[in-house]
Each structure stands twice: as structure tokens, then as C-alpha cells.
């Protein structure tokens, strides 16, 4: 008999009991079929304002129009020497990597690059916390995205015990000044939080676990995180409240539907930057049900 996972891994991914909307649920990620309480609520969870995904044809048409604008944006960066840096944050499976991939798909990789750092080395752990990120900041004409960033210390690290309470408190105190220096140096700086519902996350974890092309994205730490939803929420809310500033605001994107979320993030970037040849009609208007700013947008 062939098991879904090796014995050791199976023990790490055993069924977990979680509280979803105040109701205790048992979730077994190794079970191939999703329970109905997940499939029925995966899109609308957390008060998501749409009960259907954006139609694929409409999405692809709008996506292409925005990707054309991003190519124009890159020409402007190369001609002007301006610099862009964009952080994508969110819970595990929020869609950060997919959003970044669509943004960068047709941009020249020589000057549009993504940064996705692994856990710090021994040397990096002995450095100033922000130091290893600064090394990847954009130079003249560059467009740089971060798939997670220094905000690991605002959420994942304190929840999972990877930093001390004192280190977490110092991070919250120092980050606004650190980001003020970024903006004062002339970098066009964006911070996106992709916000998903708890049931949405469970479905995406399950999809990863059972898709042979995506299973590399799934790890036992994801299982540990499933039982810490409320802890993550508390740290997220504190982080955004303390680091949402006039010079470096948080843009919150409701991301239960990946298609709408990707378009919303692209639009915000394109509507903010004054690049040559910008076509406002092609970019379109923002959907206030999907995108907002700061702590209030989390409600």
C-alpha cells in the first residue's frame, strides 16, 4: 500500500484542530478530498465582497493591458534612472509569488529582479537586522520586488518564536525611521499586504500538498501556522498599525481571488508612478472593495 507521505512527514502533518469562525474544526491536509465547509467558503471567507472569481477571459484581457503598461514603466525607469522597490507581504499562501510573477513576466530581467531570501546565515544573524535586505536595494533604473522582507520580524518571527519580544519591539520602533530613509533617498517605495481568509488559506495549503508541481511550497511549518491564525492576526494588526506611515503607507489588497488581487496591485503601482506614455484608460480605475490603505482596510 502506497502512503500519501513518508511516515515522518505524515506525523508532522497529522490532523489539526482549529477554530474557524468560532467553530472547532478538524482539518486533515493529507485527505485528498476537501471537506465541504472548506470548498463552500473558500472564496467568500472573511467577508470577501465577491461570490465568484473574476472570469478568466476578462482577467487575461486586463492583465495584458497592465503588463503592457509595466513595460512602458520599465523604459521610463531606464531613461530617467528612477528606482522602484515593492514589498509583498501576507500570510502563507496569500499569493505573493504569483502576483510578483505576473508583474515581472514581460519586464526585462536585467533591471527588474525579485528578492526572496532564505533564512539568515550565521554571519547575517550577527549583523544589523536590516543589513542583508539593504544589499538588495535597487540601483539606478531598477525595479525590485521583495517576496517577503524585513517584515518577517513583524509577523512570522514573533509568532513562531524566532525572535525575542525585545527584538520584535525594537523592530516596530525602528522600522518607520528606516523606511523614511528609503523614501528620502528618492526610491519609489510600495508595501502591499495581501489579505486572505482563514478558510481560503486552508484550501490553498491543501492544493499545494496534493499538486505535484506545487508541493515544494508546502512545509510542516505551514501546518504549525494553521493553529496560530489568531496569533498571526494579532501580530499583523500591531505591525500594520505601528508601521503604516504617511511616507511609507501599507496598501491592503483583499486576495481571496488571486486574479482581482493581481490586477489591483498592478493598478496601484501604475497609477502612482508618473512614467512617460501612461495610458490611464488602459490601467482602469481601482476597486475600493478590493484595495485600501492602512489598518482600516483590514476590517
Amino acid at each position: 500500500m502506497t502512503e500519501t507521505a513518508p511516515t515522518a512527514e505524515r506525523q508532522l502533518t497529522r490532523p489539526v484542530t482549529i477554530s474557524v469562525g468560532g467553530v472547532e474544526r478538524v482539518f486533515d491536509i493529507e485527505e485528498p478530498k476537501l471537506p465541504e465547509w472548506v470548498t463552500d467558503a473558500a472564496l467568500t471567507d472573511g467577508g470577501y465582497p465577491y461570490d465568484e472569481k473574476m472570469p478568466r477571459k476578462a482577467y487575461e484581457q486586463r492583465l495584458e493591458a497592465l503588463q503592457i503598461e509595466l513595460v512602458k514603466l520599465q523604459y521610463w525607469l531606464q531613461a530617467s534612472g528612477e528606482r522602484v522597490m515593492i514589498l509583498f507581504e501576507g500570510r502563507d499562501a496569500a499569493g505573493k509569488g504569483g502576483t510578483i510573477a505576473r508583474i515581472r513576466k514581460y519586464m526585462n530581467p536585467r533591471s527588474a529582479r525579485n528578492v526572496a531570501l532564505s533564512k539568515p546565515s550565521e554571519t547575517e544573524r550577527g549583523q544589523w537586522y536590516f543589513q542583508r535586505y539593504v544589499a538588495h536595494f535597487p540601483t539606478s533604473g531598477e525595479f525590485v520586488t521583495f517576496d517577503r522582507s524585513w517584515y518577517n520580524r513583524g509577523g512570522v518571527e514573533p509568532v513562531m518564536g524566532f525572535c525575542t519580544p525585545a527584538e520584535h519591539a525594537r523592530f516596530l520602533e525602528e522600522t518607520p525611521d528606516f523606511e523614511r530613509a528609503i523614501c528620502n533617498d528618492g526610491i519609489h517605495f510600495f508595501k502591499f499586504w495581501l489579505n486572505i481568509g482563514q478558510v481560503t488559506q486552508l484550501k490553498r495549503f491543501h492544493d499545494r500538498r496534493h499538486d505535484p508541481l506545487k508541493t515544494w511550497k508546502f512545509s510542516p511549518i505551514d501546518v504549525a501556522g494553521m493553529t496560530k491564525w489568531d496569533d498571526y492576526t494579532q501580530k499583523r494588526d500591531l505591525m500594520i498599525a505601528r508601521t503604516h506611515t504617511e511616507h511609507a503607507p501599507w496598501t491592503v489588497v483583499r486576495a481571496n481571488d488571486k486574479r482581482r488581487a493581481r490586477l489591483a496591485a498592478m493598478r496601484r503601482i501604475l497609477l502612482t508612478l508618473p512614467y512617460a506614455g501612461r495610458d490611464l484608460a488602459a490601467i482602469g480605475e481601482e476597486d475600493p472593495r478590493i484595495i485600501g490603505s492602512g489598518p482600516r482596510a483590514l476590517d
Side-chain angles (χ1 to χ4, degrees), residues 74-87:
Q74 189 173 24
Y75 278 124
W76 172 73
L77 291 175
Q78 293 167 345
S80 65
E82 297 286 338
R83 295 165 291 166
V84 173
M85 184 163 67
I86 310 169
L87 312 187

Side-chain angles (χ1 to χ4, degrees), residues 144-290:
V144 176
T145 53
F146 278 78
D147 186 344
R148 291 196 180 279
S149 67
W150 46 92
Y151 280 102
N152 283 331
R153 183 146 291 180
V156 174
E157 290 188 18
V159 170
M160 301 304 294
F162 298 155
C163 71
T164 67
E167 287 171 334
H168 178 231
R170 186 165 64 249
F171 169 82
L172 294 175
E173 180 181 353
E174 293 178 349
T175 297
D177 289 335
F178 172 65
E179 293 176 350
R180 184 184 300 277
I182 292 171
C183 298
N184 286 348
D185 200 55
I187 294 175
H188 299 280
F189 184 51
F190 297 81
K191 301 188 302 191
F192 286 100
W193 178 269
L194 302 187
N195 206 42
I196 58 172
Q198 185 177 15
V199 179
T200 310
Q201 186 188 54
L202 293 177
K203 182 182 182 301
R204 292 183 184 177
F205 279 162
H206 186 272
D207 291 346
R208 288 179 175 184
R209 185 70 188 93
H210 294 275
D211 185 338
L213 296 176
K214 296 181 180 179
T215 190
W216 63 270
K217 294 184 176 183
F218 183 78
S219 71
I221 200 170
D222 293 330
V223 179
M226 280 191 256
T227 64
K228 298 179 181 292
W229 179 269
D230 292 339
D231 292 339
Y232 273 109
T233 300
Q234 189 272 333
K235 291 299 189 293
R236 176 205 65 185
D237 291 352
L238 176 62
M239 178 188 81
I240 289 181
R242 291 284 300 277
T243 61
H244 175 68
T245 60
E246 184 176 352
H247 58 273
W250 275 104
T251 297
V252 177
V253 180
R254 304 182 77 173
N256 283 10
D257 179 3
K258 293 180 181 180
R259 295 170 183 172
R260 289 186 173 93
R262 292 164 182 167
L263 299 180
M266 290 181 186
R267 282 198 185 99
R268 174 57 59 93
I269 295 164
L270 294 167
L271 290 171
T272 302
L273 297 172
Y275 61 95
R278 184 171 61 172
D279 186 341
L280 294 176
I283 297 170
E285 297 182 356
E286 292 190 325
D287 183 347
R289 293 169 292 181
I290 296 297

Side-chain angles (χ1 to χ4, degrees), residues 87-153:
L87 312 187
F88 283 91
E89 294 287 346
R91 299 180 194 262
D92 292 326
K96 301 178 289 295
T99 300
I100 291 168
R102 271 63 177 190
I103 288 172
R104 297 179 60 248
K105 185 173 183 180
Y106 295 106
M107 300 180 81
N108 185 339
R110 292 193 180 104
S111 59
R113 54 187 174 85
N114 186 52
V115 180
L117 302 183
S118 59
K119 66 181 182 179
S121 66
E122 272 303 315
T123 299
E124 289 169 334
R125 279 196 289 270
Q127 296 172 341
W128 176 48
Y129 176 71
F130 296 101
Q131 187 168 337
R132 73 185 191 125
Y133 297 101
V134 174
H136 298 276
F137 279 17
T139 189
S140 177
E142 279 196 320
F143 181 100
V144 176
T145 53
F146 278 78
D147 186 344
R148 291 196 180 279
S149 67
W150 46 92
Y151 280 102
N152 283 331
R153 183 146 291 180

Side-chain angles (χ1 to χ4, degrees), residues 44-62:
T44 58
D45 186 37
Y48 191 75
Y50 293 96
D51 56 12
E52 292 183 355
K53 289 182 179 180
M54 184 178 188
R56 178 176 292 277
K57 185 175 181 180
Y59 162 69
E60 290 178 347
Q61 289 175 341
R62 295 176 192 180

Side-chain angles (χ1 to χ4, degrees), residues 15-27:
V16 295
T17 301
I18 55 179
S19 177
V20 179
V23 177
E24 293 292 312
R25 300 281 193 181
V26 175
F27 183 69

